[in-house]
């Protein structure tokens, strides 16, 4: 099916397209039998992505997403779906009423703003999906800089990289959020949330009150066979020797972990499918953040760890994906004796359909750059610059070799 879809997108006269850096994005917002979805194909010289995107009551969602790891190779399923499950803004007052779920009071029809060409960079497309009367999804093709380089003994070889950035807005009130999903030509997937707008005065706390922007991401990973296993990877230095370890996550059961920077602690998700070197294909979770949030209010247990792993469950998925009315994340992620959801029932995550949950945070201490140009009241009533948070899924033995054609070192130093 994926190859047929790729052919449809590539050859369809009605598809919008944009090209740069040797890559082309074809965007098709009205394929048959897909409801409110848009189909996107990123074609680059060595790799390709096919991604389905749509709006939900939790904002922009991507998936399924398929990767072609080499020209002419079969596409493999990487993600079933990914979205923002919760958008949480706790102010520092300590008042429970000043801890606001921006997801709770929003739906697709009220909080997803229209976009236009003025919102795009030089290589962008805006899409109007079925069910919308205005464009709400943006797709841009970006040059992401040097992918690999060697310069030695008068020789120079350089390869730049490209990426497809899919983004949309989420406007619950004073803040406008930008939700981004980035698919790179080297197989990496990045998840970003940006907050811009003006500081809240509606709850009587004043524009100068510090606060956090917390995003709970939900990623239904179905890499390769679709039955994956999470591992905890750590690096430890004791005096001069250093040790790297990879152990089964939480003894093979649902649970949580913290991405400890002092030990490069991360989560590696592997499939039983192997590459040509007989290594299990996988992805590594790498945070993109300035700090780590921990909140201790009622119903905020989901914020006490960086990363969670659960086994896929339809009842747990519905409130997290916009398939039902708003539910506190603790109910579906932590679970309890009444609903048996989330990590509560400690199901096995070894060779299972697993779901990755990750908490990313941006701290905002209002400052003079939040002041509106020309406003002499110094009331911090201007628009803020963007505050970003997120994480990356980085290939881990996903390819047999350098996916962007990185050559043997002999082309630079002459050695074999």
């Amino acid at each position: 099916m994926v190859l047929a879809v790729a052919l449809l997108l590539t050859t369809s006269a009605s598809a919008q397209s944009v090209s740069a850096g040797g890559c082309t994005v074809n965007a098709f917002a009205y394929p048959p039998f897909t409801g409110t979805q848009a189909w996107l194909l990123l074609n680059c010289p060595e790799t390709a992505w096919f991604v389905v995107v749509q709006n939900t009551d939790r904002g922009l969602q991507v998936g399924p997403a398929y990767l072609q790891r080499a020209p002419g190779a079969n596409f493999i399923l990487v993600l079933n779906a990914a979205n923002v499950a919760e958008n949480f803004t706790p102010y520092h007052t300590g008042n429970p009423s000043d801890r606001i779920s921006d997801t709770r009071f929003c739906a697709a029809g009220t909080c997803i703003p229209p976009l236009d060409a003025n919102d795009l960079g030089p290589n962008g497309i805006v899409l109007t999906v079925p069910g919308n009367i205005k464009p709400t999804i943006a797709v841009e093709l970006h040059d992401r800089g040097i992918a690999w380089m060697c310069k030695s003994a008068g020789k120079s070889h350089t390869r730049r990289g490209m990426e497809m950035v899919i983004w949309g807005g989420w406007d619950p009130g004073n803040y406008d959020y930008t939700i981004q999903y980035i698919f790179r030509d080297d197989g990496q997937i990045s998840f970003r949330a940006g907050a811009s707008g003006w500081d809240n005065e509606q709850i009587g706390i004043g524009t100068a009150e510090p606060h956090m922007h917390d995003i709970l991401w939900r990623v239904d990973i179905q890499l390769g066979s679709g039955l994956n296993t999470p591992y905890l990877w750590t690096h430890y230095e004791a005096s001069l020797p250093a040790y790297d370890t990879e152990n089964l996550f939480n003894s093979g059961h649902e649970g949580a972990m913290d991405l400890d920077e002092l030990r490069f602690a991360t989560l590696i998700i592997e499939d039983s499918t192997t590459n040509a070197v007989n290594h299990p294909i996988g992805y590594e979770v790498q945070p993109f953040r300035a700090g780590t949030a921990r909140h201790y209010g009622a119903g905020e247990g989901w914020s006490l760890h960086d990363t969670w792993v659960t086994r896929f469950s339809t009842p747990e998925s519905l409130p997290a994906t916009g398939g039902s009315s708003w539910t506190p994340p603790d109910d579906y992620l932590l679970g309890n004796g009444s609903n048996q959801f989330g990590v509560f029932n400690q199901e096995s995550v070894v060779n299972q359909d697993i779901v990755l949950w990750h908490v990313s945070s941006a701290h905002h201490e209002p400052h003079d750059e939040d002041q509106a140009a020309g406003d002499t009241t110094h009331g911090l009533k201007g628009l803020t610059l963007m505050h970003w948070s997120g994480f990356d899924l980085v290939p881990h033995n996903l390819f047999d070799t350098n996916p962007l054609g990185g050559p043997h070192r002999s082309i630079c130093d002459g050695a074999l």
Side-chain angles (χ1 to χ4, degrees), residues 29-312:
Y30 295 97
F33 57 80
T34 58
T36 59
Q37 299 172 349
W39 294 357
L40 306 173
L41 180 67
L42 171 65
N43 260 323
C44 291
E46 294 95 350
T47 60
W49 282 100
F50 168 65
V51 182
V52 176
V53 59
Q54 63 184 324
N55 290 317
T56 74
D57 285 338
R58 296 296 177 268
L60 191 64
Q61 174 181 295
V62 294
Y66 298 82
L67 172 65
Q68 186 185 49
R69 292 175 290 176
N74 290 332
F75 281 79
I76 64 168
L77 179 61
V78 173
L79 302 179
N80 187 51
N83 68 281
V84 171
E86 177 70 8
N87 187 332
F88 180 55
T89 307
Y91 287 81
H92 292 7
T93 63
N95 186 342
S97 65
D98 297 342
R99 309 175 78 79
I100 303 168
S101 167
D102 287 322
T103 307
R104 181 176 184 177
F105 305 104
C106 274
T110 58
C111 286
I112 296 180
L115 305 175
D116 59 46
N118 293 323
D119 300 316
L120 298 175
N123 300 303
I125 300 168
V126 287
L127 300 175
T128 303
V129 297
N132 293 160
I133 60 174
K134 294 182 178 180
T136 55
I137 297 174
V139 187
E140 299 186 37
L141 189 54
H142 290 178
D143 179 316
R144 60 180 179 82
I146 299 297
W148 58 258
M149 177 178 68
C150 67
K151 292 183 178 292
S152 177
K155 299 180 180 180
S156 177
H157 300 273
T158 303
R159 174 72 158 79
R160 298 186 70 84
M162 299 296 293
E163 62 189 15
M164 175 174 66
V165 181
I166 307 166
W167 66 272
W170 185 254
D171 180 13
N174 55 301
Y175 272 99
D176 283 275
Y177 294 89
T178 299
I179 307 302
Q180 288 187 352
Y181 303 94
I182 304 169
F183 294 85
R184 293 176 26 163
D185 55 0
D186 63 358
Q188 178 173 310
I189 311 171
S190 297
F191 304 78
R192 298 287 185 269
S196 179
W198 64 92
D199 294 319
N200 198 344
E201 285 187 291
Q202 299 177 26
I203 57 178
I205 58 176
T207 57
E209 186 64 38
H211 53 276
M212 300 286 293
H213 297 283
D214 297 322
I215 301 293
L216 174 63
W217 301 89
R218 177 188 178 274
V219 184
D220 181 2
I221 295 178
Q222 290 201 330
L223 176 62
S225 71
L227 301 178
N228 307 140
T229 302
Y231 292 89
L232 171 64
W233 189 92
T234 58
H235 167 83
Y236 174 67
E237 296 194 23
S239 185
L240 294 182
Y243 306 93
D244 296 340
T245 62
E246 183 176 336
N247 297 307
L248 191 61
F249 170 83
N250 197 35
S251 300
H253 295 88
E254 296 174 316
M257 65 168 288
D258 298 324
L259 304 180
D260 183 358
E261 292 92 342
L262 293 178
R263 296 199 173 188
F264 288 84
T266 188
L267 187 74
I268 294 178
I269 299 167
E270 291 185 351
D271 186 56
S272 58
T273 305
T274 58
N275 62 15
V277 196
N278 205 33
H279 292 148
I281 64 172
Y283 272 98
E284 178 179 328
V285 179
Q286 293 185 357
F288 172 86
R289 64 188 182 189
T292 301
R294 295 290 184 264
H295 304 304
Y296 300 93
E300 298 170 12
W302 59 271
S303 73
L304 297 180
H305 295 286
D306 297 326
T307 302
W308 304 74
V309 178
T310 63
R311 188 165 159 177
F312 176 82

Side-chain angles (χ1 to χ4, degrees), residues 341-352:
F341 285 176
V343 300
F344 180 84
N345 54 21
Q346 288 288 287
E347 291 182 303
S348 171
V349 290
V350 177
N351 294 323
Q352 299 292 335

